[in-house]
Amino acid sequence: MENIQHLSLDIMNNYAYDSIFTKQYDVGRQIIFHITENGEHFNVSNVTAVINIKKPDGTFIMDDCVINEDGTIGIEVTEQMTVCEGISYFDLSLIENNKVISTITGQFNVTPAPVKKDDVESLNEYSVITDILLKVGEATQSALNAKTYQDNAKTYMDSAEQYCNSANSAKESASLSASTATEQATIASNNASTAITKAAEALDSANSAETSKNTAIEKAQEISGYANLSKSYAVGTDNTERENDSTDNSKYYYEQAKQILENINNLLPPYEIISETEPTTDFWLQEY
């Protein structure tokens, strides 16, 4: 269920086009104010609006208003606004930064109810002050929270500084370790290069030794061949180079010469010894 009244209020003249009509003890009616300046629409998008009401019994009401998206200002009628029958006077205060502009004064007409509610007392209503106190309380709590957040931030900052120092120390240690590792790697690389060089030299030496050994074997075989040839020429021992020539040696030729001399001696006539110093042919017969 809705009951909405629209009312125009100007900030420049003293004429209110309509009055607000309510019934005593009504609660929840909605009032929409259209704010004008010399009859033209007045922009209220950046203002704070407060309704000020003076009731017939002399009590006051100061309540916040709602700024609607269409540029109007709205309120909802409360119990204290309608508790007193008669004419209440009101205006709207428009607040922007340090400026306060009030509208013309309007009438809040509350007709009496046939049944009175004596248990409802007319009181001052300051929702603005209540809101301010609430906002002060919220601001105080926010300040306390901000202090807590600040202390926590300080703790986190100290921890971060410690972590940063630890990280720097770890970085330095890692740098030193990397430097040491690089040096050790360089030394190992040099040692490996030296080992490769020595291995190559050893291989060259081994190859040279193998060559020398083969050369020595070849020379020994050559010397052995010459020895066998010498023996063969001396006494006629067979060898691979002279296996078909067993008579080509010194011993054979000596025996042949000896046989020839003996044959010659047998053919010669007897002879006289002319002189004791005369040579004989026996020297031909000496064995080799």
Side-chain angles (χ1 to χ4, degrees):
M1 181 177 63
E2 290 185 348
N3 182 273
I4 301 175
Q5 296 182 49
H6 291 266
L7 185 67
S8 295
L9 294 177
D10 200 276
I11 63 173
M12 296 300 292
N13 60 44
N14 60 355
Y15 176 75
Y17 299 101
D18 293 298
S19 296
I20 298 173
F21 172 80
T22 63
K23 189 71 176 286
Q24 191 177 17
Y25 309 122
D26 282 356
V27 175
R29 290 176 183 267
Q30 294 184 10
I31 311 299
I32 302 298
F33 298 101
H34 297 264
I35 308 302
T36 61
E37 181 180 10
N38 290 323
E40 300 294 332
H41 174 74
F42 180 75
N43 185 10
V44 296
S45 59
N46 295 321
V47 304
T48 299
V50 176
I51 186 169
N52 308 293
I53 303 174
K54 184 178 181 180
K55 293 182 286 185
D57 63 356
T59 56
F60 295 91
I61 293 175
M62 296 178 63
D63 284 348
D64 284 325
C65 302
V66 176
I67 307 299
N68 298 316
E69 293 182 356
D70 60 358
T72 61
I73 297 176
I75 67 167
E76 187 172 286
V77 175
T78 66
E79 185 179 49
Q80 285 299 319
M81 292 180 185
T82 61
V83 69
C84 292
E85 62 180 81
I87 302 298
S88 298
Y89 295 94
F90 75 92
D91 67 3
L92 297 183
S93 295
L94 307 178
I95 305 167
E96 183 178 6
N97 297 326
N98 295 323
K99 297 179 180 180
V100 178
I101 299 177
S102 296
T103 67
I104 60 173
T105 301
Q107 294 183 354
F108 204 105
N109 190 357
V110 180
T111 60
V115 178
K116 302 298 182 181
K117 296 181 180 179
D118 295 334
D119 57 341
V120 180
E121 182 181 1
S122 179
L123 301 172
N124 294 322
E125 183 175 77
Y126 301 106
S127 67
V128 173
I129 296 176
T130 302
D131 289 342
I132 291 173
L133 292 176
L134 289 174
K135 290 178 180 177
V136 169
E138 292 175 355
T140 301
Q141 186 61 46
S142 298
L144 294 176
N145 292 338
K147 180 65 169 59
T148 302
Y149 297 151
Q150 183 181 11
D151 294 340
N152 291 338
K154 178 68 167 56
T155 301
Y156 297 150
M157 185 174 66
D158 293 341
S159 299
E161 184 177 0
Q162 293 178 0
Y163 295 149
C164 183
N165 293 335
S166 299
N168 288 333
S169 298
K171 180 181 178 182
E172 292 176 359
S173 299
S175 178
L176 292 175
S177 299
S179 178
T180 302
T182 302
E183 293 177 357
Q184 295 298 326
T186 301
I187 294 174
S189 177
N190 292 336
N191 290 339
S193 298
T194 302
I196 292 173
T197 301
K198 294 300 183 182
E201 292 177 354
L203 180 62
D204 291 340
S205 299
N207 291 334
S208 298
E210 181 69 18
T211 302
S212 299
K213 183 189 76 172
N214 293 335
T215 301
I217 291 174
E218 292 176 358
K219 294 298 182 181
Q221 291 175 348
E222 185 177 350
I223 292 171
S224 176
Y226 284 126
N228 290 332
L229 287 174
S230 298
K231 179 180 178 182
S232 175
Y233 280 116
V235 297
T237 303
D238 292 338
N239 58 77
T240 56
E241 294 183 1
R242 305 176 67 252
E243 58 184 355
N244 296 323
D245 193 7
S246 60
T247 60
D248 185 15
N249 56 75
S250 300
K251 180 180 180 181
Y252 173 77
Y253 290 126
Y254 165 75
E255 291 177 351
Q256 289 296 318
K258 180 180 178 181
Q259 184 62 43
I260 293 171
L261 288 176
E262 288 179 354
N263 292 334
I264 293 174
N265 288 332
N266 292 329
L267 294 175
L268 292 176
Y271 57 86
E272 294 179 358
I273 297 175
I274 300 173
S275 171
E276 292 181 357
T277 61
E278 183 177 354
T280 66
T281 60
D282 291 339
F283 71 94
W284 294 102
L285 302 179
Q286 296 177 1
E287 290 187 3
Y288 177 77

